[in-house]
Amino acid sequence: MAKKKIIPQSKLKKVNPSGKQDQSFFEQVYEIVRQIPSGRVTSYGAIAACLGTKLSARMVGWALNGTDKINPTVPAHRVVNRVGLLSGKFHFKPPGKMERLLKGEGVLVKDDTVVGFSEKFWDPGSNVLM
DNA sequence: ACCATGACTAGAA
DNA sequence: CTTCTAGCCATGG
């Protein structure tokens, strides 16, 4: 019995008897983040809003806390706060990897903040085509 | 059930 | 402009 599990994937089995939300809050966040196209970024609030709980943007960030160890890889580096600040850069294995990944996708990062955030912003519920 | 924490956000001073 | 307060929901002790 694991004493510490960052990602409660085990709890993913805790489905609702009502048959509504089969997946936990985390997995929903993971799927949204994985839908973020390269070179695009989004905010925690946008993801939370897409899930229906826009007021729980904190949970989104918290869910991404273990995206580094789950599989498949989740581009958490494309998720920033509402102002485009890489608030979670320190949560990456090597701090700065987040910024490096963004630059690798064509997203310029200045002072830990995404340049042209409004232009590169991608709405998770707007359109998956892009 | 209660309290504390958290990669947030919006509003007020 | 900066700084603080309050609300928010989910998880863990």
Side-chain angles (χ1 to χ4, degrees):
Chain A
M1 173 177 175
K3 60 182 178 181
K4 180 185 293 181
K5 49 182 183 296
I6 308 299
I7 296 302
Q9 291 187 351
S10 304
K11 293 198 171 188
L12 293 176
K13 299 302 180 183
K14 185 169 63 175
V15 300
N16 246 358
S18 303
K20 292 183 179 180
Q21 305 269 134
D22 292 29
Q23 303 170 333
S24 296
F25 191 92
F26 296 137
E27 188 165 318
Q28 298 182 52
V29 175
Y30 302 152
E31 294 195 26
I32 297 291
V33 177
R34 282 189 284 239
Q35 290 169 41
I36 303 175
S38 180
R40 293 296 185 112
V41 291
T42 188
S43 63
Y44 304 95
I47 298 173
C50 186
L51 297 177
T53 51
K54 68 177 185 181
L55 302 178
S56 59
R58 306 177 116 173
M59 311 287 65
V60 178
W62 190 24
L64 294 176
N65 191 340
T67 46
D68 283 342
K69 58 197 70 166
I70 70 171
N71 185 26
T73 307
V74 178
H77 58 275
R78 297 177 185 153
V79 185
V80 294
N81 67 356
R82 66 178 179 88
V83 296
L85 179 66
L86 283 62
S87 46
K89 63 174 286 185
F90 290 103
H91 290 255
F92 281 72
K93 269 69 66 79
K97 180 179 182 183
M98 185 176 187
E99 179 177 337
R100 183 167 59 88
L101 289 171
L102 287 172
K103 288 183 178 179
E105 296 181 350
V107 180
L108 298 179
V109 178
K110 177 76 173 184
D111 191 24
D112 298 336
T113 308
V114 176
V115 180
F117 172 68
S118 304
E119 300 177 26
K120 302 185 187 311
F121 180 81
W122 177 81
D123 192 341
S126 181
N127 188 359
V128 189
L129 295 178
M130 294 304 276

